[in-house]
Amino acid sequence: MTKVISRLYSRSENRRKIISINIILIILLVSITGCSDTKSDEKETIRIGVSVYDSRDTFITQLMDEFNSYADPDVTVVTYNAGQNMKEQNNQMQDMIDGGCDVICINLVDRTEPEQIIDLALSYDVPVIFFNRELTQEDLQRSDKFYYVGSDAMESGIMQGELAAADILDEGTNIDTNNDGMIQYVMLQGEAGHQDAIVRSEYSVETLIDSKIQLDRVGLAIANFNRTQAQSKIEQLINSDAQIELILANNDDMALGAIDAYLNVYGENAKLEMPAIYGIDGTIGGLEAIKMEYMRGTVYNDKEGQAHAMYDLAIALATGRSLDDLGIEDGHYIRLPHTKITLDNVNEYLYQ
Ligand code: GAL
């Protein structure tokens, strides 16, 4: 090809021109063959882009710490914090594409507003692993390169209900302190509209009812998975003289906020005044609270399992390796199972 082009120039033409055109063509040919012949397996550096909805979220931070320490040293992981701003996350998606990310992991700010992320992924043909904040099945099915990694919210709600039911049935008036045959309880709920908040609340209560426990709800507070917000909601209830025998929190951070409220209001008598408190996640703080017997139980939301599943899937997608052994269900989903944690087994998780 280079020879043909060379012949177009008469001898009288500037030889330097011919030489430089030949060089350009050779470089072009090398780079074209380089692209088409290279198997994705042999790609030199893999680049994974991650955008988290809020880097102040304890569970997400611990999940990402695990993701980063599990990642191979020669893989580049670029992490963005969307700071709870969907527009910002859309811009970050464009940045990650422009930056040449092979795979993008998205922890959606708003699980009902993934349109721009999806449109960008489709137009640039980039695989996306959504995690922790689950988009609708319809949205996820818009590409066979879209995946979701997380857990089964219903399972965590049921397990929390089982933990509380077992203690109530076992301890009677120890928890039903006013001995009225009913359990006065408060639900500390995560973000409105978050699948884990809605489903966990529903199934935790339903499981207690199925266990023939009479419930009397004295408070329902949305505290956005946030420790400080939960503390102030529970302090308000304590100060309004609400009788509280049980607190069910959609996550450990809110359970810890409830504990902070009792510590703040009752000081050194706090433990005597504290109701039975249950969380979900098994964050480091949550596990420590169980060890100190402030919290009776939590449900382990397997951040290690989720981080590893995300990473392994990202690498397989970037290299073109088989996805067969990754536990993908219905072509799109990887869900890690939960486990119950109490004082009996907390050490296995705290010191793993
Ligand atoms: C939940 C987790 C919460 C919070 C939330 C953020 O699964 O239990 O602690 O991290 O995700 O989406």
Side-chain angles (χ1 to χ4, degrees), residues 53 57-60 107 132-133 151 191 194-196 200 225 250-252 280-281 301:
Y53 89 103
D57 180 297
T58 309
F59 175 75
I60 295 297
N107 177 217
N132 171 263
R133 296 161 78 88
S151 56
E191 257 173 87
H194 191 299
Q195 83 281 348
D196 286 344
R200 285 173 184 172
F225 293 122
N250 283 170
N251 75 341
D252 281 358
I280 292 178
D281 274 347
N301 190 4

Side-chain angles (χ1 to χ4, degrees), residues 58-59 62 227 251-257 259 277-300 303 341-343 346 349-350:
T58 309
F59 175 75
Q62 292 178 10
R227 182 169 179 161
N251 75 341
D252 281 358
D253 256 17
M254 293 190 294
L256 292 173
I259 294 166
I277 300 176
Y278 299 86
I280 292 178
D281 274 347
T283 56
I284 297 160
L287 298 175
E288 280 164 354
I290 291 180
K291 181 87 181 152
M292 292 168 77
E293 297 185 53
Y294 283 130
M295 191 154 98
R296 287 184 176 237
T298 191
V299 178
Y300 202 66
K303 54 186 176 304
I341 305 181
T342 61
L343 190 58
V346 69
Y349 290 84
L350 203 47

Side-chain angles (χ1 to χ4, degrees), residues 122-186:
L122 292 176
S123 50
Y124 289 89
D125 197 28
V126 189
V128 180
I129 304 172
F130 294 94
F131 67 103
N132 171 263
R133 296 161 78 88
E134 188 171 346
L135 62 175
T136 63
Q137 195 181 27
E138 203 186 7
D139 283 334
L140 196 65
Q141 285 174 343
R142 287 186 58 196
S143 164
D144 57 7
K145 288 187 180 170
F146 290 171
Y147 298 88
Y148 177 74
V149 175
S151 56
D152 176 357
M154 183 168 102
E155 182 184 65
S156 57
I158 291 175
M159 285 189 175
Q160 186 184 58
E162 286 172 350
L163 282 169
D167 288 346
I168 294 164
L169 294 172
D170 193 38
E171 294 180 45
T173 54
N174 218 348
I175 295 181
D176 181 14
T177 45
N178 63 5
N179 203 6
D180 66 350
M182 292 205 283
I183 300 295
Q184 276 70 40
Y185 81 100
V186 175

Side-chain angles (χ1 to χ4, degrees), residues 24-269:
I24 290 169
L25 282 167
I26 288 163
I27 292 172
L28 262 175
L29 286 173
V30 167
S31 61
I32 289 166
T33 1
C35 268
S36 56
D37 277 356
T38 306
K39 291 206 179 71
S40 37
D41 253 346
E42 289 154 17
K43 262 190 67 149
E44 284 196 352
T45 353
I46 295 170
R47 210 173 162 78
I48 305 174
V50 185
S51 167
V52 300
Y53 89 103
D54 186 350
S55 64
R56 290 168 307 177
D57 180 297
T58 309
F59 175 75
I60 295 297
T61 304
Q62 292 178 10
L63 185 149
M64 281 313 298
D65 287 348
E66 182 63 32
F67 185 90
N68 286 316
S69 58
Y70 183 70
D72 299 289
D74 57 345
V75 168
T76 306
V77 178
V78 198
T79 310
Y80 291 76
N81 172 24
Q84 302 223 15
N85 183 331
M86 192 66 235
K87 267 197 185 154
E88 182 65 27
Q89 190 163 55
N90 293 335
N91 294 337
Q92 292 172 353
M93 177 75 182
Q94 183 72 61
D95 275 6
M96 290 187 272
I97 290 172
D98 294 345
C101 289
D102 302 281
V103 181
I104 293 175
C105 302
I106 297 281
N107 177 217
L108 280 169
V109 171
D110 185 341
R111 55 187 279 270
T112 65
E113 293 272 326
E115 282 77 24
Q116 279 210 42
I117 305 261
I118 290 180
D119 289 349
L120 284 168
L122 292 176
S123 50
Y124 289 89
D125 197 28
V126 189
V128 180
I129 304 172
F130 294 94
F131 67 103
N132 171 263
R133 296 161 78 88
E134 188 171 346
L135 62 175
T136 63
Q137 195 181 27
E138 203 186 7
D139 283 334
L140 196 65
Q141 285 174 343
R142 287 186 58 196
S143 164
D144 57 7
K145 288 187 180 170
F146 290 171
Y147 298 88
Y148 177 74
V149 175
S151 56
D152 176 357
M154 183 168 102
E155 182 184 65
S156 57
I158 291 175
M159 285 189 175
Q160 186 184 58
E162 286 172 350
L163 282 169
D167 288 346
I168 294 164
L169 294 172
D170 193 38
E171 294 180 45
T173 54
N174 218 348
I175 295 181
D176 181 14
T177 45
N178 63 5
N179 203 6
D180 66 350
M182 292 205 283
I183 300 295
Q184 276 70 40
Y185 81 100
V186 175
M187 175 64 72
L188 278 175
Q189 204 157 335
E191 257 173 87
H194 191 299
Q195 83 281 348
D196 286 344
I198 302 163
V199 178
R200 285 173 184 172
S201 303
E202 181 184 338
Y203 283 91
S204 150
V205 168
E206 203 165 280
T207 306
L208 280 156
I209 294 170
D210 287 349
S211 311
K212 309 274 178 288
I213 290 162
Q214 299 282 324
L215 291 175
D216 172 17
R217 194 175 78 191
V218 293
L220 167 70
I222 293 189
N224 295 308
F225 293 122
N226 180 284
R227 182 169 179 161
T228 320
Q229 290 182 31
Q231 176 179 352
S232 90
K233 298 276 162 102
I234 295 296
E235 276 186 20
Q236 278 168 26
L237 284 164
I238 297 173
N239 293 329
S240 68
D241 287 334
Q243 278 195 344
I244 308 173
E245 295 171 334
L246 167 69
I247 296 179
L248 300 168
N250 283 170
N251 75 341
D252 281 358
D253 256 17
M254 293 190 294
L256 292 173
I259 294 166
D260 294 339
Y262 280 87
L263 289 169
N264 198 28
V265 175
Y266 295 104
E268 53 188 32
N269 293 327

Side-chain angles (χ1 to χ4, degrees), residues 308-334:
H308 299 180
M310 265 165 71
Y311 181 79
D312 292 342
L313 176 57
I315 296 300
L317 291 167
T319 56
R321 273 185 222 145
S322 158
L323 308 182
D324 285 353
D325 296 328
L326 299 176
I328 300 172
E329 286 172 10
D330 300 328
H332 297 273
Y333 293 91
I334 301 182

